[in-house]
Amino acid sequence: MISGGGTGGHIYPAIAIANAWMERHPGSEILFVGALGKMEMQKVPEAGYPIKGLPVAGLQRSLTLDNLSFPFKLLKSLRIASGIVKEFKPDAVVGVGGYASGPVLYAAQNKGIPTLLQEQNSYAGLTNKLLAKKAKSICVAYPGMEAFFPASKIKVTGNPVRKDILDLSGKREKALAHFGLEEGRKTILVLGGSLGARTLNQAVLKDMKKLEKAGYQVLWQSGKFYFKAMQEELNSSGLKHIQLREFIREMDLAYAAADVIVSRAGALSVSELSLVGKPVIFIPSPNVAEDHQTKNAMAYVRNDAAVLLEDKAAVGLLKEKVDELMINPELMLSLGTNMKKLAKPEAAKAIVEELEKLVA
């Protein structure tokens, strides 16, 4: 059983773990448990796995009416999760973080079922910290996680990512054609996540005329929340070399087309980009717990593997940062090379090996 979700950063590693397990144990039965109304309820079935939903929701950091219903949703989710675990009788349960993983792993641990935690970030989430005491194994992506978890349980595996980005060679021509990009123009890929990132979108809006005038083209994932507004702005601009998408499914092609990548620094994004090995400008979101995106990005910046642009400075400085890279091919090459040195392409396999120890 695999539980968690809420964002792509939790869901895609979970699916990667499931796929890696099924490759080695094709006769297995896997059940996902997620949060009702969250994207895992769509993405997991699309990947070919069954999923059950819990009514659990997160506790808002600001005072809202939603917080009044939190304890009731949590108690109901604990009851439902206990029933799901009792009925499915899993040999082991994996928690990837997110709302649903708390009740499910709590129920499994109370029934004596071995649990494995997968922590994607360099700063541990609250749910995983609470579950760590009774977990049998904790797979992490960054060194130094002894600050949050018992050292004896930690295994540094990296974050599991989708397989299609492991080899981008020979895909650039297909990628340019697929996205309607022009051969000969340097390509900037802008990624703000599936829902979108307000600052990244504003930064592109602010500089898109300058970027096109300078000879660049932009492949821009605006995200679901901002797509219509960005589309209206782009349509009225008359620009020809800004390719806007609400969401990019063919990420291998997007990465293959890119010369420079501008991205948030969520755990999954950072792990994928290390495998891609291209120059990256990280603009960490300030709206996350314990500022963990900045911590994720700094793990690469400190190793001369990426460039950091603070969220508060991004609007108005995007083109300047892009120019600094584009005029320095040696820097671009060294950033990409150093990025790849930090990659862990066998993360899903390593996690499955840990899981195998629990069910042996």
Side-chain angles (χ1 to χ4, degrees), residues 72-285:
F72 302 102
K73 288 181 177 179
L74 179 60
L75 287 170
K76 186 176 180 182
S77 294
L78 285 166
R79 284 199 307 273
I80 296 171
S82 182
I84 293 171
V85 171
K86 185 178 180 181
E87 181 185 349
F88 188 69
K89 298 182 177 65
D91 294 296
V93 179
V94 179
V96 296
Y99 305 143
S101 65
V104 174
L105 269 77
Y106 179 80
Q109 289 174 349
N110 279 350
K111 295 179 192 300
I113 297 167
T115 58
L116 179 147
L117 300 180
Q118 200 261 322
E119 175 56 62
Q120 295 100 23
N121 290 293
S122 57
Y123 191 98
L126 177 61
T127 301
N128 278 349
K129 282 192 282 187
L130 292 172
L131 294 166
K133 188 176 180 182
K134 291 187 178 180
K136 296 293 185 185
S137 182
I138 303 170
C139 295
V140 302
Y142 296 90
M145 297 301 284
E146 297 84 1
F148 310 105
F149 303 128
S152 61
K153 297 181 180 182
I154 293 174
K155 175 80 172 177
V156 181
T157 59
N159 283 324
V161 298
R162 51 197 124 194
K163 274 190 165 183
D164 58 4
I165 66 166
L166 292 176
D167 185 10
L168 303 178
S169 57
K171 291 187 177 181
R172 184 174 171 83
E173 189 176 329
K174 179 184 177 182
L176 294 175
H178 179 81
F179 293 113
L181 297 166
E182 189 177 291
E183 186 70 57
R185 278 184 175 258
K186 293 290 187 183
T187 305
I188 305 157
L189 173 62
V190 180
L191 300 169
S194 56
L195 300 179
R198 186 165 177 257
T199 298
L200 270 67
N201 288 330
Q202 288 183 330
V204 177
L205 272 184
K206 176 88 172 173
D207 283 354
M208 62 184 183
K209 290 183 179 178
K210 294 178 186 176
L211 290 166
E212 182 165 312
K213 190 176 179 181
Y216 304 132
Q217 58 191 346
V218 181
L219 177 56
W220 174 16
Q221 179 181 278
S222 66
K224 180 180 178 181
F225 289 163
Y226 302 94
F227 179 68
K228 286 185 179 178
M230 297 302 103
Q231 193 173 42
E232 288 173 8
E233 293 278 359
L234 183 58
N235 289 344
S236 63
S237 72
L239 297 173
K240 304 294 184 188
H241 298 286
I242 312 292
Q243 295 293 336
L244 176 68
R245 299 288 189 277
E246 177 181 328
F247 182 72
I248 299 173
R249 297 189 187 281
E250 308 82 359
M251 285 308 303
D252 59 324
L253 297 183
Y255 290 139
D259 293 288
V260 167
I261 301 168
V262 180
S263 176
R264 284 300 200 198
L268 180 65
S269 298
V270 170
S271 296
E272 282 197 355
L273 290 168
S274 67
L275 289 167
V276 171
K278 291 193 174 182
V280 178
I281 300 169
F282 283 125
I283 306 176
S285 171

Side-chain angles (χ1 to χ4, degrees), residues 178 302 341 346:
H178 179 81
R302 281 194 296 268
K341 288 177 183 175
E346 299 294 330

Side-chain angles (χ1 to χ4, degrees), residues 51-81:
I51 186 169
K52 293 193 174 183
L54 302 179
V56 67
L59 190 62
Q60 305 300 313
R61 276 175 277 173
S62 56
L63 289 172
T64 68
L65 289 174
D66 288 340
N67 281 348
L68 295 176
S69 64
F70 173 78
F72 302 102
K73 288 181 177 179
L74 179 60
L75 287 170
K76 186 176 180 182
S77 294
L78 285 166
R79 284 199 307 273
I80 296 171

